[in-house]
Amino acid sequence: MALQCGIVGLPNVGKSTLFNCLSNAKAQAANFPFCTIEPNVGVITVPDERLMKLAAIDNPPSIIPATVEIVDIAGLVKGASKGEGLGNKFLANIRETDAILHVLRCFDDDNVTHVDGSVDPVRDRQIIDMELQIKDLETVEARIAKVQKQAQTGGDKAAKRLYEILVQYREALQQGKSARTVWLDNKDDRKMARELFLLTDKPVLYVCNVDEASAKAGNHYVEAVREAVKDDNAGLLVVAAKTEAEIAEFETYEERQMFLEEMGLEESGVSRLIKAAYTLLELETYFTTGKDETRAWTYVKGTKAPQAAGIIHTDFEKGFIRAEVIKYNDYVHYNSEAACREAGKIAVEGKEYVVRDGDIMHFRFNV
């Protein structure tokens, strides 16, 4: 199953508007399709100027971009951890995602009612974070009850370490902090932690939904959020969802760019949000390109060459011999694979090679 980002937020903060903008995203000159898996799940193309430059060099009939799945999760209310509103469904949906885009209302508009009667993004963030923390605390305490005796008397080193990790999480959660604020520098510890599936351990990007006037520089609401999340090990992005909806209405790339320039923006908020979601999931891109097809392939950061080959086809991984790698800048500079080969810019890499973002790959295999 593909990695997913879940869009969360209180009702009427603009998260569904953002999701609809994403679903209609025309971030590049080429209009790639948006696919709906379910009513609230979309497969969205990742804007990548490199793909278009490679395609301009090789001029293939087929251009295939990288994608990321975005899930619009039902609005949450206070008491979700106890089943209030759509609480149980919300928590189940968010547990299935790999990262969170947390939309916060950072604009004033008397025509858009706030569920709590006033605009306060810091309070709104705390409402959702607290509900998730309560659920995580229940999970942690249940696991502690199971492993404590074994850890303290059984001589099981793994159980002892798991208990110590659980205690760290419990302390953080009891202090109103998210699990992601607990730093584990040991690889085995992080593996144990991931298997707990804690809601607040997921990477999060706070998306501040602002009015058009604040799209470039933000506003006092954004600054309040920035201060509130500075120790939360999380990212922050400013987007004007209403304005993005207007941008999505333009038919041509040129019209969209002209509108952005008038606002003093180089890139649409939707485009930045898709890229941020991709990064949040720790995803990177390698390319294959030639006269038949230019394609972006998605892999998890740190993937080695055989596993990257397996993304194309399992036979590529099983029979992996070597990878021929051209760096993106070299390909653009020399303007063809043949010229890169002549200039000695093709590296031959083995099974231990860690793929780098932007690599242009050609795999040799034998099955």
Side-chain angles (χ1 to χ4, degrees):
M1 185 180 178
L3 296 179
Q4 294 183 333
C5 271
I7 298 184
V8 305
L10 294 177
N12 297 336
V13 299
K15 64 183 185 59
S16 292
T17 301
L18 265 182
F19 180 80
N20 292 334
C21 290
L22 290 166
S23 71
N24 294 314
K26 299 170 184 174
Q28 301 176 131
N31 293 332
F32 298 111
F34 163 82
C35 168
T36 302
I37 301 172
E38 297 173 11
N40 67 332
V41 181
V43 179
I44 298 165
T45 59
V46 179
D48 196 327
E49 296 79 6
R50 298 173 301 180
L51 180 73
M52 306 312 295
K53 285 186 178 179
L54 292 175
I57 291 171
D58 291 316
N59 197 28
S62 177
I63 305 169
I64 303 177
T67 61
V68 62
E69 288 191 6
I70 306 288
V71 187
D72 184 17
I73 295 174
L76 176 133
V77 296
K78 286 181 181 177
S81 58
K82 305 300 180 186
E84 293 293 328
L86 295 172
N88 291 328
K89 180 175 175 58
F90 174 93
L91 294 167
N93 286 343
I94 202 169
R95 197 178 296 280
E96 291 171 3
T97 64
D98 301 281
I100 299 168
L101 304 175
H102 187 160
V103 182
L104 298 168
R105 176 172 170 175
C106 294
F107 65 90
D108 293 309
D109 187 340
D110 293 338
N111 295 318
V112 181
T113 304
H114 191 287
V115 69
D116 281 327
S118 62
V119 178
D120 186 343
V122 174
R123 176 202 59 208
D124 294 353
R125 169 207 170 233
Q126 289 172 337
I127 289 172
I128 287 187
D129 283 0
M130 186 178 297
E131 295 298 333
L132 300 183
Q133 289 163 8
I134 289 170
K135 206 66 183 176
D136 278 351
L137 188 56
E138 290 176 7
T139 300
V140 167
E141 289 182 331
R143 288 300 300 272
I144 285 176
K146 285 184 178 180
V147 304
Q148 185 171 8
K149 187 174 181 181
Q150 186 181 2
Q152 293 176 341
T153 62
D156 186 329
K157 289 185 178 179
K160 185 176 185 297
R161 185 55 192 146
L162 177 58
Y163 173 73
E164 291 169 350
I165 292 169
L166 287 165
V167 168
Q168 288 184 66
Y169 279 135
R170 182 173 64 184
E171 289 175 356
L173 292 163
Q174 286 175 337
Q175 293 170 22
K177 298 177 181 178
S178 294
R180 75 182 68 89
T181 62
V182 175
W183 174 248
L184 302 172
D185 57 7
N186 181 280
K187 183 179 178 181
D188 293 333
D189 289 353
R190 291 196 298 272
K191 184 174 183 295
M192 280 186 184
R194 280 195 301 272
E195 291 170 356
L196 295 171
F197 298 105
L198 298 179
L199 301 171
T200 64
D201 199 31
K202 297 177 185 292
V204 65
L205 176 72
Y206 291 103
V207 182
C208 294
N209 183 16
V210 301
D211 53 27
E212 182 175 325
S214 307
K216 184 175 181 180
N219 55 32
H220 67 285
Y221 291 129
V222 174
E223 292 312 308
V225 173
R226 199 184 305 278
E227 177 64 24
V229 305
K230 65 181 182 181
D231 298 322
D232 198 41
N233 191 23
L236 185 146
L237 186 72
V238 177
V239 173
K242 188 176 179 181
T243 304
E244 293 296 323
E246 293 174 11
I247 293 172
E249 293 297 317
F250 290 113
E251 288 298 320
T252 69
Y253 176 77
E254 288 73 22
E255 285 176 318
R256 294 190 292 276
Q257 288 304 114
M258 191 179 300
F259 186 86
L260 288 170
E261 286 174 11
E262 288 175 1
M263 292 179 62
L265 299 172
E266 295 181 2
E267 187 176 25
S268 75
V270 162
S271 182
R272 289 184 290 111
L273 182 57
I274 296 171
K275 289 179 181 179
Y278 198 69
T279 302
L280 197 63
L281 291 167
E282 295 192 330
L283 299 177
E284 293 182 336
T285 303
Y286 74 82
F287 301 98
T288 54
T289 188
K291 61 182 179 62
D292 297 322
E293 178 186 86
T294 297
R295 181 164 183 164
W297 299 89
T298 299
Y299 66 92
V300 177
K301 187 176 181 179
T303 297
K304 292 184 178 180
Q307 289 70 49
I311 294 168
I312 298 177
H313 196 287
T314 53
D315 284 350
F316 283 31
E317 182 176 357
K318 289 176 184 174
F320 179 87
I321 299 172
R322 66 181 182 274
E324 295 180 353
V325 183
I326 306 173
K327 296 303 177 186
Y328 168 78
N329 287 338
D330 288 335
Y331 202 96
V332 172
H333 177 75
Y334 290 99
N335 214 42
S336 73
E337 180 180 334
C340 286
R341 192 176 297 277
E342 188 175 331
K345 295 297 182 179
I346 298 182
V348 177
E349 305 289 356
K351 293 182 177 180
E352 294 304 309
Y353 177 71
V354 177
V355 181
R356 300 287 188 267
D357 185 51
D359 280 353
I360 296 154
M361 312 284 288
H362 183 70
F363 298 106
R364 301 292 185 182
F365 69 102
N366 182 25
V367 177

